Amino acid sequence: MRAQLRKAWESRAPRERAVIAALAVILGAALYVWFVQSAGQARAQLRTSVTTLRAQAARLEQQAAELERLRAAPAVSASKTDLRTLVQAQAGAAGLSRALVRIDAPNADQVVVVFGAVAFADWLNWIAGLKSQHVRLEACRIEALSTPGMVSMTATLVRAKSQ
């Protein structure tokens, strides 16, 4: 096989051999440039990926440290106050008692509150305040009113279970 290639190469005129060699050099140089450019682009993409992955790893480490801190913290004890009384007092403190239509307590750890017309932002702040009292929102039905920012709602609140 090698002998046949050598014979075919030598059967060419010197000018043809020079043109073929020049084209081979040009093709080789073009391939080299293309490979170098592709490697540069891939390196840039990898550098970006590494930066992103490092940021995610740092965030994951922070979250793991927070999880360990929370696991080491003593268990939260829920307020022993009657849930209905607690919810009513928090509504009064937040200035929502005027919008409060009804509070029903199906059991000791659950209440259903009905608001007529209340500002949605005020209601969200009230729910956040209840969270600090270990009361969480279990279910909610919200209806927008014609006044912008005002809603009526029915919400079921439950006492957070102590661990």
Side-chain angles (χ1 to χ4, degrees):
M1 177 83 166
R2 221 174 192 179
Q4 290 175 344
L5 284 175
R6 188 183 238 344
K7 186 178 178 183
W9 178 255
E10 289 176 358
S11 69
R12 303 265 180 216
R15 184 176 171 103
E16 286 180 358
R17 281 189 272 180
V19 169
I20 291 172
L23 287 176
V25 168
I26 292 171
L27 180 63
L31 284 174
Y32 177 77
V33 168
W34 181 73
F35 282 132
V36 168
Q37 183 180 12
S38 295
Q41 288 175 348
R43 186 178 317 138
Q45 288 175 345
L46 287 174
R47 191 175 297 125
T48 302
S49 296
V50 166
T51 304
T52 302
L53 289 173
R54 283 185 180 152
Q56 289 174 349
R59 201 169 329 124
L60 184 62
E61 287 177 11
Q62 288 174 342
Q63 290 172 350
E66 177 69 11
L67 179 62
E68 288 301 317
R69 186 188 66 75
L70 290 173
R71 283 186 177 164
V76 177
S77 61
S79 171
K80 299 302 177 199
T81 309
D82 177 46
L83 186 58
R84 180 183 176 137
T85 306
L86 177 67
V87 168
Q88 197 162 15
Q90 291 293 319
L96 300 178
S97 56
R98 69 191 183 298
L100 190 59
V101 174
R102 186 174 79 238
I103 298 180
D104 296 325
N107 61 48
D109 291 329
Q110 181 181 22
V111 293
V112 177
V113 293
V114 178
F115 287 97
V118 64
F120 186 69
D122 293 343
W123 185 79
L124 284 177
N125 290 334
W126 179 65
I127 291 296
L130 285 174
K131 186 177 180 182
S132 69
Q133 297 291 324
H134 309 293
V135 176
R136 67 178 177 85
L137 181 66
E138 184 177 61
C140 185
R141 183 184 55 77
I142 302 172
E143 294 178 13
L145 299 176
S146 59
T147 306
M150 298 298 284
V151 293
S152 68
M153 66 189 65
T154 302
T156 303
L157 303 167
V158 294
R159 186 182 311 271
K161 304 292 181 208
S162 59
Q163 300 171 347

